[in-house]
Amino acid sequence: MMNTFTIEQTPADIVKIFPKASDFFKERRIDFCCGGDKPLTNVFSEKQLDGEVVLKELNDLYQEWSKEDHDVTDWDAIPASQLIDHIVHTHHAYLNDELAPLGQFVTKIFRVHGAKHPHLKELHRIYHELKLELEEHTIKEDEEVFPLIKEYELNPSEALLEKIRIANGGLEDEHDVAGDLLKRIRVITNDFTPPVEACNSYRITYARLADLESDTFQHIHLENNVLFKNLAK
C-alpha cells in the first residue's frame, strides 16, 4: 500500500522514498539536504507555510507518481564503497566538468549585462565563492575522507572510525556553506528566471545554474543523509 507522508517526516527521508519530491521542495525553498533532517512540522512553522496545503500537494504528486513504474535506488542498502563510487563518478565528475565553463558564462553575462542588471555583480561574486568551496571540498573527500571510509568498510575499528571523524570534521559545515550560497543564487536569479529580453548566453547561464543546484543538492543529500548518517550508526 502506498505511503502517505505526514508532518512528522523529514524532507530528507521523503526524498529517499520519492525522489521527485526534491523538485517539489526546491520550488518551495524547503531544504532536503543540508538541513533536511527537520520534521516538516518544524519546516512549515519556520517558513510560515500552510502545512495542510503543502502536504496535500506533496501527497497528490506522490500518488500520481506512484502510478508509474520507477526504479528507485534504496541508497541506505548500498554498501558505503559503492555509494562513494557513485558520488565520485557522478557528482564529483559533474563538478569537475561544469564549474569552470559555467564560471565563464557567469563572468560573460556580468561583463556584458552588469551595467543594466546590477544583481549580476553579486551573482558573479557568489558563484566564484561557491566554485572555490566545492573544488576544495571535493578534493578533501577524494583524497582523505572517502579512502578512509572504504578502508573502514573492509576493516572496521574504533581507531579508524575516529580518524574518519577527524578527517570528516567540517565537511557537513562546508555543505551548509555551499547550500546557503546556492539558495542565495536562487534568490538573486529569481528562481533562475531570466529577464524577458535576456540573450541566449543569459538563458543558458541560468539553466546551467539550475542544473548545478539540482546536482549539488542531490550530492549533499547522499552524503549527509545516507553516507555520513549511516557511518555514525
Side-chain angles (χ1 to χ4, degrees):
M1 187 173 179
M2 189 186 71
N3 292 326
T4 299
F5 300 122
T6 72
I7 58 173
E8 300 308 319
Q9 289 176 276
T10 68
D13 286 337
I14 290 170
V15 168
K16 289 180 186 180
I17 299 167
F18 177 30
K20 192 175 174 61
S22 61
D23 294 329
F24 178 87
F25 289 140
K26 280 185 296 182
E27 289 169 3
R28 290 152 184 80
R29 298 183 184 176
I30 293 173
D31 191 348
F32 68 88
C33 56
C34 310
D37 57 352
K38 297 179 182 178
L40 282 177
T41 184
N42 293 11
V43 175
F44 294 153
S45 177
E46 290 171 5
K47 291 189 169 293
Q48 298 183 326
L49 296 172
D50 187 328
E52 187 174 336
V53 170
V54 175
L55 196 61
K56 183 179 185 305
E57 291 176 352
L58 176 64
N59 279 313
D60 287 348
L61 187 65
Y62 181 52
Q63 184 175 22
E64 289 303 311
W65 180 84
S66 298
K67 293 175 183 176
E68 306 164 0
D69 289 330
H70 298 283
D71 184 15
V72 179
T73 301
D74 182 359
W75 293 112
D76 284 318
I78 300 294
S81 57
Q82 290 184 28
L83 179 54
I84 286 171
D85 287 344
H86 170 78
I87 290 169
V88 169
H89 297 306
T90 303
H91 300 294
H92 287 195
Y94 168 80
L95 292 175
N96 288 337
D97 291 340
E98 179 66 2
L99 288 175
L102 179 52
Q104 293 173 355
F105 269 93
V106 170
T107 299
K108 178 180 179 180
I109 65 170
F110 169 47
R111 180 179 292 117
V112 175
H113 302 287
K116 290 186 177 179
H117 299 163
H119 72 280
L120 293 177
K121 180 178 182 179
E122 185 181 4
L123 175 62
H124 180 267
R125 178 184 61 79
I126 290 178
Y127 176 80
H128 285 88
E129 183 180 346
L130 173 67
K131 177 177 178 290
L132 180 62
E133 184 75 26
L134 291 173
E135 286 171 341
E136 292 180 348
H137 182 83
T138 54
I139 289 171
K140 182 177 181 181
E141 288 182 338
D142 290 343
E143 300 299 322
E144 298 179 43
V145 178
F146 287 173
L148 285 172
I149 294 175
K150 284 189 171 185
E151 184 182 347
Y152 178 79
E153 185 177 50
L154 294 174
N155 299 295
S157 70
E158 189 58 39
L160 187 52
L161 187 58
E162 183 59 25
K163 283 182 69 175
I164 294 171
R165 292 192 186 107
I166 293 170
N168 197 26
L171 279 185
E172 292 193 34
D173 290 339
E174 291 172 11
H175 284 164
D176 290 343
V177 171
D180 288 343
L181 291 170
L182 284 165
K183 291 170 190 174
R184 182 59 192 156
I185 287 174
R186 176 176 277 273
V187 171
I188 292 169
T189 60
N190 188 28
D191 294 323
F192 308 108
T193 306
V196 175
E197 73 280 8
C199 67
N200 197 41
S201 291
Y202 211 134
R203 295 181 182 280
I204 290 172
T205 303
Y206 273 32
R208 288 173 73 162
L209 286 169
D211 289 342
L212 176 66
E213 182 200 62
S214 292
D215 190 271
T216 305
F217 280 170
Q218 177 65 12
H219 174 183
I220 293 173
H221 166 65
L222 289 177
E223 291 185 0
N224 277 14
N225 302 315
V226 183
L227 181 64
F228 299 157
K229 185 175 181 180
N230 290 344
L231 193 66
K233 289 181 179 178

